[in-house]
Amino acid sequence: MDFRLNEEQQMLQDTVARLVRGEYSFEKRLKYSESDLGFSADFWRQLGELGLTAVPFPEELGGFGGSGVEVQSVMTELGRGLCIEPYLQSVILGGGLIAQAGNSEQQEQWLGDIASGEVRAAVGLQEPQSFYNLNDVETRAEKSGDGYVLNGRKAVVIGGHCADVLVVSARTSGDSRDSAGISLFLVRPDAEGLEARTYPTIDGSKGCDLFLNNVKLGSDALLGEEGKAANVIEYQTGRAISALCGEAVGVMEVACDLTLDYLKQRKQFGVPIGRFQVLQHRMVDMMSELEQARSMAILAASVADQPQSDERRRILAAAKNVIGRSGQFISEQGIQSHGGIGMTWEYNFAHYAKRLVMINHQLGDDDFHLEAYTILLQAG
């Protein structure tokens, strides 16, 4: 099989690469991370102007009509630049949920502006007790007149502090871990009774916990069919996992490049430490893990937009498991090769390692997906 990008896909990736190289130095990233917004509003605007925020949306909804391959092309370059803009949360996951579950009015209201980058979405699916199980939902949505009243808490909502719209899961029926009875709602950030507590994450992004205290919503806030959002959430998180795999490959590529450069430059006993065989073997192992991760990311991209099936579930679980393990290996071995400097805040390798840790824990870590893969394999 030919895994090379076609001309159009290569042009897309080159566009993102040029933008990241020109606008996203490591020093700028540190400043963006420490700002109140937590990322660069100007860089986000440029993503929209170049049509990059429109990549995954259908053409009839103002998008580019890109597949999982095009999305990964964008995410890989954003990963190489260690970009902290909420592209995954707003464009892939938030936009994807609205595109799949929303009615024509909701799609018309939100998707054009999300695709242009003028509106940012954030997604509240996790809860403090859920431990990656997105069916574990204790937030409740009770019927009240023509609308709903929401009460509960959502955890680690990346980009939620500055979102224009929040997509939140809540239970309209059933027990806390039932897949049936979960619904999705569109919540305005200024809704009465909604409180966001913002904090930095280990990779330099900003997340928040959402506290919903008698948040009143109209019937038009319901996204999709009541009580039947679990399948939509599972499908769209699968697309987001594929995108994360692409980002992780970009992060790992730079981590390996930084380590190799350091081994060539750092001298001990009068020679570059890259001359020592044990470090050469370690570098080979890191590159082997990178190539394995790249292969699994390509496989994940090939099924990202396919109809839901157990085969799709198995491939995405396997890809996320391999990405998590490979990312951890490259981070640890890279730090070991660098020594103390590999842990310092001022040196960029440490930030790539932290991003790989965060990617492993987003949408389920390697152990979670290994268990999911095993269950699917036994069932099949």
Side-chain angles (χ1 to χ4, degrees), residues 35-77:
S35 68
D36 291 338
L37 186 60
F39 58 89
S40 169
D42 184 61
F43 186 76
W44 182 264
R45 178 183 55 77
Q46 291 182 72
L47 289 175
E49 290 176 350
L50 290 170
L52 300 175
T53 49
V55 167
F57 296 107
E59 293 181 14
E60 60 270 20
L61 297 176
F64 176 74
S67 68
V69 176
E70 282 80 16
V71 169
Q72 277 202 6
S73 298
V74 174
M75 292 294 292
T76 297
E77 294 305 322

Side-chain angles (χ1 to χ4, degrees), residues 232-300:
V232 177
I233 293 171
E234 182 187 12
Y235 186 81
Q236 292 301 327
T237 53
R239 293 178 67 244
I241 284 172
S242 172
L244 268 178
C245 290
E247 181 189 359
V249 169
V251 177
M252 283 187 261
E253 286 174 349
V254 178
C256 287
D257 290 344
L258 289 171
T259 303
L260 182 58
D261 287 344
Y262 185 80
L263 295 183
K264 292 177 178 178
Q265 296 173 18
R266 176 75 165 89
K267 290 186 176 182
Q268 190 71 21
F269 306 112
V271 297
I273 60 175
R275 293 276 188 88
F276 302 144
Q277 193 175 57
V278 66
L279 294 180
Q280 293 175 358
H281 289 173
R282 179 177 290 157
M283 193 70 238
V284 169
D285 290 341
M286 291 172 64
M287 295 301 295
S288 297
E289 289 291 333
L290 170 60
E291 290 306 315
Q292 182 174 248
R294 196 195 314 277
S295 297
M296 290 305 296
I298 293 171
L299 184 59

Side-chain angles (χ1 to χ4, degrees), residues 147-294:
Y148 299 85
V149 177
L150 273 61
N151 284 280
R153 178 182 175 184
K154 293 295 173 180
V156 198
V157 181
I158 304 297
H161 65 293
C162 62
D164 301 295
V165 61
L166 300 161
V167 183
V168 174
S169 62
R171 185 165 294 284
T172 47
S173 63
D175 292 330
S176 62
R177 294 193 176 184
D178 291 344
S179 59
I182 300 173
S183 302
L184 287 171
F185 294 90
L186 296 168
V187 182
R188 298 274 190 174
D190 58 354
E192 185 176 354
L194 177 65
E195 179 187 357
R197 298 182 185 174
T198 305
Y199 45 79
T201 57
I202 65 167
D203 61 342
S205 300
K206 275 188 168 58
C208 68
D209 282 10
L210 299 177
F211 296 83
L212 300 104
N213 300 303
N214 295 318
V215 175
K216 296 179 181 179
L217 302 174
S219 59
D220 59 344
L222 178 66
L223 190 64
E225 195 171 351
E226 181 181 311
K228 297 185 178 180
N231 290 337
V232 177
I233 293 171
E234 182 187 12
Y235 186 81
Q236 292 301 327
T237 53
R239 293 178 67 244
I241 284 172
S242 172
L244 268 178
C245 290
E247 181 189 359
V249 169
V251 177
M252 283 187 261
E253 286 174 349
V254 178
C256 287
D257 290 344
L258 289 171
T259 303
L260 182 58
D261 287 344
Y262 185 80
L263 295 183
K264 292 177 178 178
Q265 296 173 18
R266 176 75 165 89
K267 290 186 176 182
Q268 190 71 21
F269 306 112
V271 297
I273 60 175
R275 293 276 188 88
F276 302 144
Q277 193 175 57
V278 66
L279 294 180
Q280 293 175 358
H281 289 173
R282 179 177 290 157
M283 193 70 238
V284 169
D285 290 341
M286 291 172 64
M287 295 301 295
S288 297
E289 289 291 333
L290 170 60
E291 290 306 315
Q292 182 174 248
R294 196 195 314 277

